[in-house]
Amino acid sequence: MNGKQEHLPVLLEEAIRGMNIKPDGRYIDGTFGRGGHSAAILARLGDGGRLLAFDKDPRALETAQEKFSHDSRFTLVQDSFARMAPHIAEQGWEQVDGILLDLGVSSPQLDDASRGFSFQKDGPLDMRMDTSRGPTAAQWLADAGEKEIARVLKEYGEERFAKRIARAIVAARNEQPITTTKQLSAIVAAANPAWEKGKDPATRAFQAIRIYINHELDELDECLLQITDLLVPGGRLVVISFHSLEDRRIKQFMRKQSKGDDFPPDLPVMQSQLKPKMKLIGKAQRAADAEVDNNPRARSAVLRVAEKLS
């Protein structure tokens, strides 16, 4: 034992149950993180099963090497799930039996102050999932205009006081560069006139900047466009989301796929002609009280499952 507590993903059992795993199936873990879901999938696969995982974080590669280098059924690609289709083709696969997406930032990333995701720990203001490319949050905040900052806070954080906070950020950076999480957190807190009960005033701002820096919603949209073509008939899509912007996209996508093709509103179409591509499996699930007590991050998690029709 190394003394470290093993990280357990939120809604793990519910997600694996939703995947309906076949021992000889081919599966995708679109967000490897620290391997919790991948380990659970592999435990249910036989010798003929295969798992292809994706993650942009270089540290995911280190974890995969430590945990799964001996397992020939497992492959990890350092890339976004938005580019899932070509990597599946490289495996020689046409389709897969299940796709799992656990969206957003992982608990290990939040717990590592050097990554700059958390306003509760002081560290460099980075926020990149892939630390090898792209501007850091500090670099973006140093160059972005006030209107652009306000737009990002409003669009990706649903921040009511986006303009006021953006103005405060620009004023603060004119005095000194904003390079740490504590600096940014303090600026946002001072500019926020109405703190939400039970929520740090920097929550929405940090969420917004992280989503923008990592193109999270754009990549999710790109991924969803590929899903129905990549799944075999009977294949499952399981998604865990942690905020309304993600969950709204997932909910709308699954509902649209379950209703069938779009037709002009004035065109008479019978229900039998709609040809739905997927069906919803159960209702949206949330973490039980016991899991929330053990892991407060689970409080906002929503799990949805859909199955491709033949």
Side-chain angles (χ1 to χ4, degrees):
M1 297 292 289
N2 59 10
K4 292 182 180 179
Q5 184 177 1
E6 186 72 14
H7 167 64
L8 290 178
V10 172
L11 291 166
L12 175 62
E13 292 302 321
E14 293 85 347
I16 297 302
R17 186 164 55 247
M19 291 282 282
N20 193 30
I21 295 171
K22 298 184 295 185
D24 61 347
R26 293 169 175 171
Y27 294 91
I28 302 294
D29 181 354
T31 45
F32 176 80
R34 295 302 177 263
H37 284 127
S38 286
I41 293 170
L42 288 168
R44 289 159 177 79
L45 292 180
D47 293 340
R50 294 292 182 270
L51 175 62
L52 177 63
F54 293 82
D55 208 295
K56 296 190 292 183
D57 190 340
R59 298 188 188 180
L61 295 177
E62 300 173 6
T63 300
Q65 183 64 26
E66 293 172 3
K67 290 187 174 183
F68 306 122
S69 61
H70 63 284
D71 198 329
S72 61
R73 302 171 301 166
F74 175 81
T75 302
L76 175 66
V77 177
Q78 188 188 354
D79 202 351
S80 166
F81 56 53
R83 289 174 285 280
M84 191 179 292
H87 288 292
I88 288 176
E90 286 178 7
Q91 298 295 314
W93 306 349
E94 292 184 5
Q95 294 177 308
V96 298
D97 296 282
I99 297 171
L100 172 63
L101 305 176
D102 182 6
L103 303 176
V105 64
S106 70
S107 293
Q109 288 171 324
L110 284 170
D111 292 340
D112 185 350
S114 69
R115 302 302 298 273
F117 289 112
S118 176
F119 46 79
Q120 296 177 332
K121 299 182 178 182
D122 196 18
L125 194 57
D126 193 316
M127 293 197 190
R128 293 172 299 168
M129 300 288 190
D130 183 350
T131 53
S132 68
R133 66 182 69 187
T136 66
Q139 290 169 333
W140 178 71
L141 285 174
D143 297 328
E146 182 177 321
K147 288 185 178 180
E148 174 69 357
I149 295 172
R151 182 189 70 81
V152 168
L153 296 179
K154 180 69 173 179
E155 185 174 336
Y156 298 118
E158 300 178 301
E159 174 56 69
R160 293 166 53 201
F161 306 105
K163 291 182 179 179
R164 180 169 178 158
I165 293 171
R167 192 179 312 121
I169 288 172
V170 171
R173 80 183 184 193
N174 288 337
E175 297 295 326
Q176 63 174 331
I178 304 170
T179 60
T180 72
T181 55
K182 283 299 183 183
Q183 276 181 282
L184 179 59
S185 178
I187 293 165
V188 173
N192 195 320
W195 292 19
E196 296 179 59
K197 185 178 180 180
K199 180 176 288 188
D200 190 287
T203 300
R204 294 182 183 276
F206 270 65
Q207 170 190 298
I209 295 169
R210 188 204 82 221
I211 290 173
Y212 177 78
I213 290 292
N214 293 288
H215 311 288
E216 292 179 37
L217 296 181
D218 293 337
E219 292 188 349
L220 177 58
D221 289 341
E222 190 174 342
C223 176
L224 292 176
L225 290 174
Q226 306 169 54
I227 293 296
T228 51
D229 289 335
L230 292 178
L231 285 171
V232 300
R236 296 278 183 91
L237 170 65
V238 177
V239 186
I240 304 168
S241 57
F242 288 87
H243 59 75
S244 60
L245 295 176
E246 294 170 339
D247 185 54
R248 194 176 303 139
R249 277 169 161 75
I250 300 303
K251 182 178 180 180
Q252 290 173 350
F253 169 78
M254 289 184 174
R255 284 188 172 179
K256 181 177 180 180
Q257 297 300 311
S258 68
K259 289 181 179 178
D261 299 322
D262 287 328
F263 290 94
D266 56 346
L267 185 67
V269 177
M270 297 178 63
Q271 184 68 31
S272 60
Q273 295 176 288
L274 293 177
K275 296 181 180 179
K277 298 177 182 178
M278 305 185 84
K279 67 176 180 179
L280 305 180
I281 303 297
K283 298 180 179 180
Q285 300 177 61
R286 292 185 176 273
D289 291 343
E291 182 173 5
V292 173
D293 290 341
N294 187 52
N295 180 8
R297 182 172 179 255
R299 183 178 293 108
S300 59
V302 180
L303 182 145
R304 297 183 186 274
V305 183
E307 181 179 296
K308 182 176 176 180
L309 298 172
S310 57

